[in-house]
Amino acid sequence: MAKTHTRYVCQECGRVTASYMGKCPQCGSFNSMVEEVIHDEPVSKGGTVRGLTGRSAPRSIGDISSDAEDRIHLPIGEFARVLGGGIVPGSIVLVGGDPGIGKSTLLAQMAMEMAATQRVLYVSGEESERQIKMRAVRLNGQKELPKNLLLVTETNLETIFNHIHEVKPDLLIVDSIQTVYLSNMDSSAGSVSQVRECASQLRELAKTSNISVFVIGHVTKEGTIAGPRVLEHIVDTVLYLEGDRFQVYRLLRSVKNRFGPTSEVGVFEMREGGLEEVTNPSEAFLAERMINAAGSAIAVTMEGTRPILVEIQGLTSPTQFGNARRTANGVDFNRLLLITAVLTRRMGLKLSEQDVFVNVVGGLQI
């Protein structure tokens, strides 16, 4: 008979403790410990061993076929740039970003573009099929919706696998990893154990069936992917969709890529018809700049493999308080403090009595 015991798992960092703690000793988060009931199954001698395949055998590296290295063409050029030139068959990609930044919109556009040549299954745990179609109609304009794009609203991972075996898609999109769950686990969807196990099974699916899997992930208030840190180690590529919600520009940034360069950036503009590529970001960021305006300067920043020209605005104002304020938007706060200290020390500017404001136009982070 299986034995059961209780443990408490931090939903921020995955720390496991035997008793409840109001503050996690590892990450310092408050009220993040969630109770989980663990069933210890008896070990059987004839039991199967979990792995990517049912059986494995060592082979010479020269005997292994390399046909899978051919990438699948992605019509969205900026997206393909960030991935390293296209979609690698059998890869699993994690896309994260703030709520409302455009993650679902970007992957819906990619699904419709890829459905012209591939069979695509879009699994949503957050929206109904009717809501997804409404977005697809808005993004597709007057064009006919692709027949190879299949939609399903489901959160049970076992049921999703049944749909995959029936449909046999070439591309799978899951929105989002925090909503799917395994029924044989007692913890709720979005918990550390559920996110870890669901991601592991999706990885096994991608590697064994050669299906490319795209997974949307929520982020915490600190800007990191919600769930265990091991989630980013499980997947092959980690992408972040960044930008100011009140600005029209979005940046798709690669922070991990096993099949291409990291730190590559794709630039998009949010419009009524969805996210449109910005092939010349420098022109877009400098389009509204006033010539010879006071407090405005042009800086060159390297984003991935291409330089981008951006406008940086600076303003000082006499402080009304005892301590002067330093406000940075798009620039690292510590860098602003360093520049302020250098100007005060070397240039003789009395910035200790001035509030300093620095802004990067377009919502870009440099």
Side-chain angles (χ1 to χ4, degrees):
M1 182 177 179
K3 297 181 180 179
T4 62
H5 65 275
T6 302
R7 69 179 185 181
Y8 295 85
V9 182
C10 176
Q11 301 304 296
E12 298 293 335
C13 65
R15 174 68 180 267
V16 179
T17 60
S19 59
Y20 177 79
M21 293 184 178
K23 179 182 179 181
C24 176
Q26 181 168 326
C27 65
S29 301
F30 289 92
N31 301 322
S32 61
M33 291 288 182
V34 175
E35 180 182 4
E36 290 186 359
V37 179
I38 306 299
H39 300 277
D40 295 332
E41 298 292 341
V43 180
S44 59
K45 295 182 179 180
T48 58
V49 179
R50 182 179 176 183
L52 292 178
T53 57
R55 59 183 181 274
S56 59
R59 291 189 297 168
S60 171
I61 189 172
D63 298 336
I64 300 175
S65 173
S66 60
D67 296 338
E69 293 181 357
D70 297 334
R71 295 178 182 263
I72 303 173
H73 174 67
L74 181 58
I76 306 176
E78 291 294 304
F79 204 162
R81 169 194 290 271
V82 178
L83 290 176
I87 302 174
V88 177
S91 63
I92 177 169
V93 180
L94 176 63
V95 181
D98 294 331
I101 203 68
K103 303 183 297 296
S104 299
T105 299
L106 178 62
L107 290 189
Q109 289 182 238
M110 183 196 70
M112 289 188 292
E113 294 287 348
M114 295 300 299
T117 57
Q118 304 284 324
R119 194 169 181 84
V120 182
L121 177 61
Y122 192 105
V123 181
S124 176
E126 301 178 347
E127 297 176 295
S128 66
E129 297 169 5
R130 183 173 180 272
Q131 291 173 322
I132 300 173
K133 182 178 179 180
M134 291 173 57
R135 178 191 289 125
V137 171
R138 176 176 58 87
L139 297 177
N140 211 36
Q142 303 297 327
K143 301 178 183 178
E144 183 181 359
L145 294 176
K147 300 295 184 181
N148 283 333
L149 176 57
L150 307 176
L151 306 179
V152 63
T153 300
E154 184 57 61
T155 55
N156 189 312
L157 192 60
E158 290 93 341
T159 306
I160 294 174
F161 281 172
N162 292 334
H163 292 318
I164 294 173
H165 293 319
E166 294 175 2
V167 174
K168 293 181 172 55
D170 302 306
L171 178 65
L172 172 67
I173 299 174
V174 179
D175 184 9
S176 64
I177 189 62
Q178 280 81 14
T179 60
V180 298
Y181 68 94
L182 291 167
S183 58
N184 58 357
M185 300 182 65
D186 295 328
S187 55
S188 60
S191 62
V192 169
S193 56
Q194 285 281 7
V195 171
R196 180 179 60 247
E197 291 301 319
C198 290
S200 297
Q201 294 207 16
L202 287 173
R203 177 190 60 184
E204 294 181 13
L205 170 71
K207 303 306 179 186
T208 56
S209 60
N210 216 31
I211 297 176
S212 301
V213 180
F214 283 78
V215 178
I216 293 179
H218 298 163
V219 297
T220 62
K221 60 183 179 181
E222 288 81 14
T224 58
I225 299 292
R229 191 67 179 179
V230 70
L231 176 61
E232 298 188 20
H233 297 285
I234 290 175
V235 301
D236 298 315
T237 305
V238 180
L239 309 179
Y240 279 90
L241 190 61
E242 305 172 349
D244 191 340
R245 294 180 59 184
F246 303 101
Q247 299 285 344
V248 296
Y249 295 109
R250 302 288 188 268
L251 271 71
L252 186 64
R253 189 183 303 272
S254 170
V255 297
K256 173 190 175 182
N257 193 351
R258 289 175 177 160
F259 311 110
T262 58
S263 301
E264 194 64 63
V265 170
V267 184
F268 298 87
E269 182 178 0
M270 178 65 78
R271 295 186 178 179
E272 184 179 357
L275 290 167
E276 296 187 7
E277 300 178 68
V278 179
T279 57
N280 189 353
S282 300
E283 181 182 2
F285 291 143
L286 301 179
E288 299 180 359
R289 181 177 182 269
M290 298 178 60
I291 305 300
N292 297 327
S296 174
I298 298 177
V300 181
T301 176
M302 285 294 296
E303 296 293 344
T305 58
R306 62 179 174 182
I308 296 179
L309 301 178
V310 295
E311 178 186 359
I312 299 181
Q313 299 171 341
L315 176 67
T316 62
S317 174
T319 183
Q320 303 297 325
F321 307 96
N323 295 325
R325 290 189 300 168
R326 303 289 184 259
T327 303
N329 183 22
V331 180
D332 182 66
F333 183 72
N334 292 326
R335 179 179 292 184
L336 174 60
L337 295 180
L338 175 62
I339 295 175
T340 303
V342 171
L343 292 177
T344 302
R345 180 70 173 177
R346 301 300 181 186
M347 301 296 295
L349 301 178
K350 297 181 179 180
L351 296 179
S352 60
E353 303 173 357
Q354 301 282 327
D355 293 333
V356 179
F357 306 90
V358 175
N359 175 57
V360 179
V361 176
L364 185 68
Q365 295 285 337
I366 62 173

